Amino acid sequence: GYVFWFLSPPSSARYLLPFIPALIFVCMKILGSSKKAIQKIAIGAIVLACVFNLGSRAIATRKFLPVVFGKQTKDEFLSQRLNFDYGDFYDVDGFFRENIKENDLVLIYNIHNLYYVDFPFVHESWAKAGTYFTHILVKEMDLPEEFGELELLYENEKTKVKLYYYGDFY
């Protein structure tokens, strides 16, 4: 188990979870043995596994430390790290935060990673027929003809999104 743990990338260590009780049992038997050399080897392997695991977790999370310690804002971090070419979305310049009101509803069209949407929205994939919205947010495309000619309110080259005004609620 330890050999597999050391040779596998840190992300695959989760596959060892079902074997942890058995490894604990084996370690307890070894540590309970009367042979001091075996005990020292087992303790060394356990300490080495802990150092390796904690070190790999520290390396994996170091990119978040500037945000955790306040040296970088969440906006800066997400603006630099998200893959906008893939379909991620984030309000990088605060336009949506400032202009989309609580009683607006934005139809999101052709954007599939919505983890950072912080305004009232409905996604095209689960919008029901008859859902009325005030804005349409699209990515890297013009609107389908079914929406007609709409006023372009916002365009962002970095995130590759366009926001159109559809109309107020009745």
Side-chain angles (χ1 to χ4, degrees):
Y2 284 124
V3 170
F4 175 74
W5 197 337
F6 285 121
L7 296 178
S8 67
S11 63
S12 357
R14 69 178 177 263
Y15 298 118
L16 283 177
L17 288 177
F19 302 104
I20 287 179
L23 290 174
I24 290 172
F25 180 74
V26 170
C27 288
M28 294 306 293
K29 282 299 220 181
I30 290 172
L31 293 176
S33 123
S34 61
K35 298 185 179 178
K36 295 290 182 190
I38 294 176
Q39 285 181 344
K40 287 181 182 180
I41 291 171
I43 290 172
I46 292 169
V47 169
L48 191 60
C50 290
V51 168
F52 177 76
N53 195 20
L54 290 174
S56 65
R57 291 290 89 214
I59 290 169
T61 59
R62 74 172 180 245
K63 67 181 175 184
F64 302 109
L65 293 179
V67 177
V68 170
F69 292 115
K71 295 187 186 265
Q72 187 178 33
T73 66
K74 177 182 83 169
D75 290 342
E76 293 169 338
F77 179 81
L78 292 173
S79 295
Q80 292 170 3
R81 303 256 182 197
L82 290 178
N83 185 356
F84 298 113
D85 292 330
Y86 178 70
D88 295 352
F89 173 79
Y90 186 70
D91 185 13
V92 296
D93 56 6
F95 178 86
F96 293 87
R97 193 175 321 132
E98 294 170 10
N99 295 290
I100 301 297
K101 299 182 243 35
E102 203 173 290
N103 58 347
D104 288 334
L105 184 63
V106 178
L107 173 68
I108 297 182
Y109 203 85
N110 197 35
I111 299 175
H112 55 274
N113 287 343
L114 306 174
Y115 308 117
Y116 307 103
V117 173
D118 193 22
F119 50 81
F121 74 94
V122 61
H123 191 266
E124 66 175 304
S125 63
W126 40 272
K128 294 182 172 97
T131 301
Y132 194 80
F133 39 87
T134 57
H135 298 81
I136 303 173
L137 177 65
V138 297
K139 182 166 190 75
E140 294 188 298
M141 66 179 282
D142 292 322
L143 283 176
E145 291 179 13
E146 66 191 61
F147 292 113
E149 286 291 319
L150 298 177
E151 176 186 357
L152 178 65
L153 294 178
Y154 171 78
E155 189 171 4
N156 189 299
E157 290 298 318
K158 181 175 186 169
T159 61
K160 299 172 180 63
V161 297
K162 296 177 183 177
L163 180 70
Y164 293 91
Y165 179 70
Y166 190 73
D168 290 325
F169 286 116
Y170 296 106

